[in-house]
Amino acid sequence: MTRGGSTRGSAREGSAAQEAGPLLDVRDLSVTYGNGASGAEQVALSVRAGEIVAVLGRNGAGKTSLLRGIAGFLPSEHTRVAGVASIDGVNVAGRDPGQSFRHGIVLVPERNKVFSSLTVAEHLRLAARAGHHPDAPCAFEALERLRTRRAGLLSGGERQMLALEAAFRNEPRLLLVDEASLGLAPVMVKELMSRLKEIARERSTAVIAVEQDAAAALRLADRYYVMNHGRVVSDGLARDVSAVGLAAEYLGTVR
Amino acid sequence: MTGEMTMPPSQVQTAPARTRPSPRTLPGGAAGGAVFVLVVVVTALAGGQYAVYTGTLIGIYALVTVSQEWIIGRAGLVSLGSAAIMAVGAYVTARLSTTSWSVFPIPLVVAMIFGAVVGLLIGVPGLRFRGLYLMLTTLALQFIVAFAGQKYQGVENQSGFVVNPPHWGSLDLGSPRALFIITCVVLGLVLLALRGIYGGAAGRIWNAMRQDEAAASVLGVNLVRWKLTAFIGSSALTALGGSLYAYQAGLVSYGTFSLDLSLTLLVMVFIGGLGTLVGPILGAAVIVLLPNGIERLSGAFAGIPQVADWLSLHEATVANGIYGLLLLLVLLFERDGIYGLVRRLGSAAAGQWHRRVRRGAVQ
Amino acid sequence: MNADIANVISNGLVTGCIYALIGVGFVVVFRATGVVSFAQGAFMVLGALIFAGLARAGLGLAVGLPVMLVVMLVIGGVIYRLVFARIAGAEAFVASIATVGLGIVLEVIALLIWGPEVIAVPQLFNFRSRVHVVGELNFSALNLFVMGLTVVAFVVIVVGLNRTPVGLRMRAVANNPQLAAYSGVRVVRTSMIAWGIGGLTAGLAGVLYLLGSQPDPVTVYSLGLAAFPAILLGGLDSIPGSLVGGILIGLLQAAIGVFVGGEWQDVGAYCVLLAVLLLRPQGIFGSAEIGRL
């Protein structure tokens, strides 16, 4: 497990300054699972404060490994993370999830993104340590009338909203969202993504959104990266490309 | 007699060539087989009383640990009731040994059948769910068999059932040396059979199951049936071990086959190393020899009477503690057990040697 | 009410309370870390021996018991940190085997330090005084003490889990340790608390058993295994289940003891365990998911 030296600490706290150095700087990040399988290989990526970045790619392209490599694995998962993922000059690659969390990185995982046995209100209480009052109004208004419901009984869209709501209440500087659109109706995806973008902009939270749905991702993001076989194969500005063209590119890069 | 009995081991030596080679299950199977036969023959011909006795014990435990490894290492299940299944085999053998069915190897075969039936009975409720539930059913089995054994022995056989020595018509096979050879031949045959099974289609299915149950299930593997097969097979072999144990001890009583014995067998399998046939045998040997080692240790401390006395007084407890500690250490640090450690050290040493040779060649 | 039934009720409730205490610690540990602990018996031995030592040194219940509880809390937490933090979670099954090894090691340590003799403890209760309830049913002061402490322990645990921030974090970890870590919960620290509670309740069970009988360490240790039928009957992951399962098995065993014979008690409990596995593997209150573990 490489703990690597610290890199330059240039990002200014909380500012959305485009011209400042990156908030998160990922270099040579590799993720190797306990069974020897490689998840991500020497990935380089950067995110400026307040910027929204989409990571696109097919199933198994290494997108989730990248997010988890940044957010950290539990020691019992026996996963090796090498390389650098520095936030404010502190390398969190290969550290445990708590370390990343304390540096303002919050991950909303792809599956099991809520605690099925806890109620919505309990999720908000769990996320209340950043100073948000548990009873404060939800940024996702739909959750208000669901406060007493168990998260296990929520619909897919409601779960996603709850996960994002709780994540934002932890005051992240960098929010990692894994496949938020997966399994949701197109109308729901559109609504959820635009709300996510609004909240992130309001609070100038940087976001890395891993997506298979290129159209949804490009509406959300400022920039994009495309991954294949564990590596970043291209990147660019979201406004410069069309979703159809981009999707054709990464779905077309079949061996 | 000894000459006659050494015949089968020579079959052991030639057989590996016929079975399909399977590098995962037994690296260097032929070499391992040769070492096995060599050790057995030397011990049978030249071993003293103690060596023969200890060898028999190691052989019996190795037979049980190898069959437990079948379910732990292949099917990913753990049984806490191996001693109970040994008890079934031992009781069957004890009862048959005093009847006209006592001709060798009938009691062994009947013991295996009983073991398989108990495996089926306990496996059906225990295997509908994943490993945890088999642990609990076999824990129940352990208590139920101990109780049934106690009731079965009753007052008149309170100290246990006497086992008449095995025989072949008028030929008595009950001498320690003959028992040693029988044990080793049986163990050798079981190893060959398991090697064949693991190397074949069944072995690949268990392997796939252990790596990813969901994936195997999607591919059409009936998980419960294959787990049950492993459990029944392993129970039959465990009962066979119990049968040999009965002959070796000469007396069968429920107290022998306690939960402690089950746990000790479990420790043997894990510290030996899963995924191989050699590991469990090594584990059995280490644990059988451990109390003797402690005795030696207390001998070595003869100069410091306090330590020596304390060690010899607490020999059994200390041995127990070392089992537990070994199990913990293996699970925490060296999942492949002693065999994995030996292999790793071996390859490291070989690498060193190769480097040195290469450096020498360059100079 | 005839005397036999009264006996069954009073003995059954007391034994049941001890099972319930062993069980609730088991459940807390299982829920938080997914580990099926076979080491509860060893924690009972440690608790009983530590308390007996304190009692012999002249500390009564009022001091000895709280000190023992704190020590067991620390021991449980430290053992999680040293042994299980590395392997629990993703490898719960391996960790469960490791508890077998841990149980053996702890028991051996206890035997080597304190010896295998009956655990000596000064008489702390007057066994003659009995509280009459109804008909033939009456309880000794010790019985009432055992039941009272069990109720207190359950109330504290249930309220703690459902009404405090620590309890909320423990439930989050129990539900999904990975997500809990990403939500800023310190998973290792929270799991240490769970194991501490497991050690503490087992220690309490050990002391209560010690006060009622004169057991040697090995007997105390095997009671830890004897609690499995009760735990499974209630449901491996249910806290109310551990109380109900404990009491039911306690009553059943007491009834077997009175009407059939003491030697049938353990085997009766294990037959219940087999029946539960066949008919309702998740137990009375357990969640259906754990049937697939």
Side-chain angles (χ1 to χ4, degrees), chain A:
Chain A
M1 211 179 294
T2 309
R3 298 226 155 147
S6 63
T7 55
R8 67 222 142 99
S10 48
R12 245 170 269 144
E13 290 224 353
S15 79
Q18 291 281 6
E19 52 298 340
L23 169 72
L24 175 83
D25 189 16
V26 174
R27 277 179 286 114
D28 295 330
L29 190 78
S30 299
V31 175
T32 315
Y33 290 99
N35 60 6
S38 170
E41 283 172 56
Q42 304 195 310
V43 173
L45 168 153
S46 69
V47 183
R48 285 189 290 270
E51 188 184 28
I52 302 182
V53 169
V55 176
L56 300 159
R58 292 185 300 158
N59 259 338
K63 310 184 297 285
T64 299
S65 300
L66 167 66
L67 286 197
R68 298 207 57 206
I70 299 167
F73 288 86
L74 294 182
S76 55
E77 292 177 274
H78 297 294
T79 302
R80 288 191 319 142
V81 179
V84 177
S86 69
I87 182 159
D88 282 349
V90 179
N91 183 17
V92 292
R95 311 296 286 271
D96 62 283
Q99 200 75 21
S100 301
F101 183 86
R102 278 188 287 285
H103 286 96
I105 299 175
V106 174
L107 169 69
V108 175
E110 177 187 338
R111 268 164 300 208
N112 302 323
K113 55 191 84 202
V114 293
F115 300 102
S116 57
S117 65
L118 302 189
T119 64
V120 171
E122 283 172 334
H123 279 81
L124 304 182
R125 250 165 56 208
L126 198 63
R129 273 161 301 157
H132 288 273
H133 195 276
D135 296 334
C138 294
F140 291 88
E141 292 85 359
L143 292 172
E144 287 298 342
R145 56 183 177 79
L146 299 169
R147 279 180 185 257
T148 55
R149 188 165 302 179
R150 273 186 185 217
L153 302 174
L154 298 177
S155 73
E158 289 162 348
R159 282 178 205 216
Q160 189 62 57
M161 283 190 247
L162 174 57
L164 290 172
E165 175 76 39
F168 274 118
R169 285 181 181 225
N170 279 318
E171 303 255 306
R173 284 189 296 152
L174 174 64
L175 179 66
L176 309 176
V177 186
D178 198 352
E179 302 269 10
S181 67
L182 199 73
L184 301 184
V187 180
M188 186 73 217
V189 173
K190 213 163 190 173
E191 190 189 317
L192 196 79
M193 290 302 191
S194 63
R195 190 72 190 114
L196 168 60
K197 187 168 185 172
E198 274 170 36
I199 303 171
R201 290 283 190 245
E202 264 167 38
R203 310 186 183 187
S204 38
T205 308
V207 178
I208 302 181
V210 154
E211 272 299 332
Q212 284 196 55
D213 182 341
L218 291 182
R219 269 200 307 278
L220 181 71
D222 305 315
R223 285 191 303 125
Y224 69 89
Y225 289 84
V226 176
M227 287 185 74
N228 197 17
H229 298 312
R231 295 170 183 275
V232 169
V233 290
S234 67
D235 67 293
L237 294 176
R239 61 169 183 267
D240 292 349
V241 287
S242 78
V244 177
L246 194 60
E249 182 194 318
Y250 68 79
L251 290 174
T253 52
V254 189
R255 281 170 272 200

Side-chain angles (χ1 to χ4, degrees), chain B residues 55-65 86 183 241-242 244-245 248:
Chain B
T56 312
L57 217 53
I58 292 176
I60 292 169
Y61 283 130
L63 177 54
V64 179
T65 50
M86 274 180 83
T183 302
L244 291 171
Y245 189 94
Q248 201 256 359

